Amino acid sequence: MISVVIPLYNKSNYISRAINSVLNQTMAVHEIIVIDDGSTDNSAEIVSASFPMVKLISQSNSGVSAARNTGILHSKGEYIAFLDADDYWTEHFINNINFLIKRYPNAQAFCTNYAFKEKECIYPAKLKCSNEITSILDDYFDLCCNADLPITASSVCINKSLLEEEIGGFPQGVAMGEDQIVWAELACRTKIAFHSHISVYYDRDVQDSACKTNHIYSPAPQVYVYKKLLAENKVPRELVNSLIHLIHLTVLSCVKNNLLVGNRKKALTILLSKGYLKFDKYRLMGFLLLFFPRFFVAKIFSVSRNDK
């Protein structure tokens, strides 16, 4: 049985689309739980008036992690699929997840390919995953490097007992990247199965739908969690090097963001930090760009992005 948990905060223009995408699945789910996290618009009223079959739970505003954890607590399914209120599924998402569950009985986490919706255009995520219809994500951390994340909060389904009892749900009080912390824990604890068919649409047009990576000027909270996992020897040996490389790239992205806004002092401080960065061509380029004007830095990164 699969329960669906939808955290909701001021998404009155999108919540019906999200719920309808669950109701229109070719394979029905066990239950749909919407956690209204203190919305100040009429989001909750839309759910209660239009979707009586949905279990609506209201709480004071506590953040998306708290909302997801409340949904986990009240869910009855063996598996929990998450869907952000401003995203939506194709009609085959649950069917594809169920296929993975049956095909990979030793896995406890399952995800599908996804695409970005921006205005009237659809852009497939740039993933490094296998082109096979289904596969196991053998090295999750390597797949995160120089690519879109292989898992999003709207493309994943997780065994409830693993998530609730072993991982402890989603971390609260984390400003950003709380979901990536959970995905990292999953990668260290279980096999993750992947379906290559695009089954989820991530809506980029929604204001505050996610943190803007070009606004991150200090190492994200998940970096410290990654380091802790390594220090406590919780990372499987075959994943250690790729996680170290992911930490390196994540921190360097903060260097880039600071250079783009002309904050050279902050960029230099991060470049000189110990324990997070190794010395390679990307770090060397960061040092060199400290001496160039901001418009030149922007041009360099623009050319680099267009060449990919």
Side-chain angles (χ1 to χ4, degrees), residues 77-116:
E78 181 181 0
Y79 301 94
I80 302 175
F82 297 93
L83 177 61
D84 284 353
D86 45 18
D87 297 335
Y88 57 104
W89 292 339
T90 71
E91 61 182 0
H92 300 294
F93 175 78
I94 291 296
N95 185 65
N96 291 339
I97 291 293
N98 191 65
F99 184 82
L100 292 174
I101 291 173
K102 291 182 177 179
R103 181 159 188 175
Y104 301 101
N106 293 327
Q108 297 185 75
F110 314 88
C111 59
T112 75
N113 200 352
Y114 62 96
F116 299 102

Side-chain angles (χ1 to χ4, degrees), residues 198-217:
I198 292 175
S199 308
V200 181
Y201 291 107
Y202 181 113
D203 198 333
R204 278 179 166 170
D205 294 327
V206 182
Q207 185 178 7
D208 298 326
S209 61
C211 293
K212 304 297 184 182
T213 56
N214 60 330
H215 290 170
I216 302 171
Y217 304 117

Side-chain angles (χ1 to χ4, degrees), residues 204-264:
R204 278 179 166 170
D205 294 327
V206 182
Q207 185 178 7
D208 298 326
S209 61
C211 293
K212 304 297 184 182
T213 56
N214 60 330
H215 290 170
I216 302 171
Y217 304 117
S218 297
Q222 67 263 28
V223 168
Y224 306 104
V225 176
Y226 295 164
K227 293 284 290 185
K228 184 178 180 182
L229 287 172
L230 289 168
E232 296 176 351
N233 295 316
K234 292 183 177 179
V235 182
R237 184 182 306 173
E238 64 273 15
L239 302 183
V240 168
N241 288 336
S242 56
L243 179 53
I244 291 173
H245 186 54
L246 177 60
I247 292 171
H248 172 73
L249 294 178
T250 303
V251 174
L252 280 179
S253 70
C254 300
V255 173
K256 180 186 76 171
N257 294 339
N258 280 286
L259 288 171
L260 286 171
V261 297
N263 194 344
R264 298 179 188 176

